Amino acid sequence: MKKLLFAVCALAVLAGANSVYADLKIERETRFEFSGALGLVMKMAGANKPTRTAEYYDDTHHRSDNYDEKGQLTFSTIIDLKNEKVIHVDYQAETFTEFSFQDYKDMMEQSIEDMKTEQQQAKEKQDTEVEYTFDLDVKQPGETKEISGYKASKTVLEMKLSVKATETREHETAEMSGDLKVNSIQWMSKSVPGYKQVQQFQEKFVRQVGGMSDEQAMKDVYESLSASHPQLGTAMKKLQDEKEKLEGLSLLSETEYMTENVDQKTESQESSGTSAPSVNKLFGGLSKKLAEKVTGAGEKKSNLLFKTVDTVTLIESAILPPSTFETPQGFERITETEM
C-alpha cells in the first residue's frame, strides 16, 4: 500500500509541478467554464467567477493559499520538510490542524483501503463487473510564445479512461460503457527562476512521505503496480518516460473534461429499455443522462462537461519572513475528528 501511495503522489508531481521556489511568490487565477444547462445553473450560482491562489516557497517550506470570489483568504496548506509536517489552516473558523508525514501517510493509506473495501462490497452486492483501461499521451508540437515575459513552449497532455460495467441479475443483464477524456494544453517555461529547485522540493516531499529514495525503489513501484493495477503502472511508467516534456512552470493551461462513446443497454426477458439501478449508481447516477447524449444507431458524440483555464498572474521574487510558514496567532488547534 505504501508503494501505491508513493506512486499516486509521484504521478501527480510528474504531471504538474506547477510551482516556483526559493523566496518566490506566484499567483494564479483559475476559471471554470461549464457547458449546456449546467453552465446556466452554475453561472446563476456564481460558480463561473475566477478563483485566486497564491504559493510561496523557501528552502524547506511550501505554502499555498486559497481565496474566495471576494478575494478573502479562506484556506492555507503549509508543508514543512524539515519538521516533516503538514498544516491546514481554516481562516473562517480560525482553526488549524497539524499532521506529521507519518500521520499523513496513515490517513491516505486508510482512505485507499476504505475505498477498496467499499468498492469490493458494492461489487459483491450488485454482481457487477467493471473493466477499465487507461491511456496517456504527451506531445510537443514545437509552438512557443511569450507569457508574462517568459518564453513558453506548448505541451499537449491527453488522458483517457475507458470503463465498461456489466451487471448480471436473475432476469436481466445491464451493460454500460464510455470514455472519460481529459485534454490539457499547457504552456511550459523553463526560464522562470527556481523551477528546477521546485522539482527537487516536490520530489523530496514524495520521497519523505512515500519512504522511497532511489531508482531501484521507483522500479519496484512500477513492478508492484503492474501486478496489482496494470493500467496505472503502465501510465506512471509512460509519464516518467515523458518527464522531460513536462519540465518547467505551467504559465497557462486550458483543460477540457468530457465524456465520449457513452452507451448502455439492457437485455432481459421483459426489457424495460433502461439500465439497472445499480449500474446507474455505479456511475454516480449519471448513466441515464449520459446515455441520452447518444445521437443514433451506433453514432455517439463527445459531451463536454467543463473546462478550466489556469493563468499565472504574478511571479515575484521576495525575501519571505519566517511567519509566512507559521500558523496565525490566536488560532485554535483542533484534531482531525473536530474538522
Side-chain angles (χ1 to χ4, degrees):
M1 180 54 63
K2 184 179 292 186
K3 295 175 183 177
L4 178 58
L5 170 62
F6 176 77
V8 173
C9 291
L11 193 62
V13 169
L14 292 172
N18 289 332
S19 305
V20 290
Y21 175 83
D23 295 297
L24 289 176
K25 174 183 177 180
I26 183 169
E27 291 188 358
R28 292 178 174 276
E29 182 180 275
T30 302
R31 187 175 72 253
F32 288 82
E33 299 177 0
F34 297 88
S35 63
L38 178 60
L40 294 176
V41 173
M42 299 303 288
K43 185 176 182 179
M44 293 177 61
N48 63 324
K49 295 181 180 179
T51 59
R52 183 167 68 91
T53 59
E55 294 189 84
Y56 308 82
Y57 275 85
D58 73 4
D59 189 39
T60 58
H61 299 85
H62 170 229
R63 167 178 161 175
S64 61
D65 292 343
N66 292 273
Y67 296 82
D68 62 18
E69 64 277 2
K70 297 180 180 179
Q72 298 295 316
L73 180 59
T74 59
F75 192 82
S76 293
T77 298
I78 301 170
I79 299 175
D80 182 345
L81 292 183
K82 184 177 181 180
N83 296 299
E84 294 198 339
K85 62 182 180 181
V86 179
I87 302 170
H88 300 296
V89 184
D90 186 334
Y91 292 90
Q92 295 178 331
E94 296 189 351
T95 59
F96 71 94
T97 54
E98 186 174 302
F99 305 99
S100 68
F101 282 8
Q102 184 61 52
D103 292 334
Y104 216 67
K105 286 192 292 185
D106 292 344
M107 287 189 297
M108 292 179 70
E109 290 173 0
Q110 186 59 52
S111 296
I112 294 174
E113 287 292 344
D114 291 344
M115 186 182 302
K116 289 174 62 178
T117 299
E118 291 175 2
Q119 290 175 340
Q120 182 61 33
Q121 290 176 344
K123 182 177 179 180
E124 293 175 354
K125 182 178 180 180
Q126 298 174 1
D127 295 324
T128 302
E129 296 183 3
V130 180
E131 302 175 6
Y132 73 92
T133 57
F134 184 85
D135 190 29
L136 178 145
D137 189 26
V138 182
K139 302 175 182 177
Q140 286 185 312
E143 300 176 41
T144 62
K145 66 179 178 179
E146 187 173 297
I147 301 176
S148 301
Y150 300 99
K151 181 181 178 181
S153 300
K154 183 178 181 179
T155 298
V156 180
L157 178 65
E158 299 177 344
M159 294 180 285
K160 183 173 75 171
L161 176 66
S162 300
V163 180
K164 179 180 179 181
T166 304
E167 180 183 39
T168 303
R169 290 188 170 184
E170 185 176 355
H171 299 295
E172 67 179 10
T173 298
E175 292 185 358
M176 179 176 177
S177 61
D179 302 330
L180 174 64
K181 297 182 66 176
V182 180
N183 295 333
S184 181
I185 297 176
Q186 302 192 31
W187 292 91
M188 313 289 291
S189 176
K190 297 182 181 180
S191 60
V192 176
Y195 93 88
K196 281 287 188 182
Q197 290 92 329
V198 145
Q199 289 183 322
Q200 294 172 3
F201 185 100
Q202 298 275 9
E203 290 167 2
K204 186 176 181 181
F205 173 62
V206 170
R207 287 197 301 269
Q208 289 183 226
V209 171
M212 306 267 177
S213 60
D214 53 28
E215 292 298 324
Q216 181 57 44
M218 185 65 77
K219 181 180 178 182
D220 196 24
V221 170
Y222 297 150
E223 293 176 351
S224 177
L225 280 177
S226 295
S228 57
H229 303 78
Q231 297 298 328
L232 182 57
T234 301
M236 184 178 177
K237 180 64 169 63
K238 185 171 183 178
L239 196 55
Q240 175 68 18
D241 294 340
E242 302 278 15
K243 185 177 179 180
E244 291 185 2
K245 296 181 181 179
L246 293 167
E247 286 188 351
L249 171 70
S250 177
L251 299 178
L252 172 65
S253 67
E254 298 182 1
T255 306
E256 294 183 337
Y257 300 81
M258 65 189 73
T259 57
E260 194 172 71
N261 300 324
V262 176
D263 194 14
Q264 65 175 352
K265 62 181 180 179
T266 301
E267 296 180 359
S268 62
Q269 294 178 356
E270 297 180 359
S271 177
S272 62
T274 59
S275 62
S278 57
V279 176
N280 277 321
K281 185 176 180 181
L282 177 66
F283 285 86
L286 292 176
S287 61
K288 182 178 180 180
K289 294 180 181 179
L290 295 179
E292 291 172 353
K293 302 297 180 180
V294 179
T295 59
E299 182 184 357
K300 306 172 182 65
K301 66 178 182 179
S302 297
N303 174 38
L304 179 64
L305 301 176
F306 64 93
K307 174 182 177 180
T308 63
V309 180
D310 185 83
T311 308
V312 169
T313 56
L314 173 69
I315 299 176
E316 182 178 73
S317 178
I319 298 177
L320 300 174
S323 59
T324 303
F325 306 103
E326 297 174 355
T327 55
Q329 292 186 357
F331 278 35
E332 179 186 2
R333 179 175 179 176
I334 62 175
T335 62
E336 179 191 1
T337 57
E338 297 174 298
M339 293 178 64

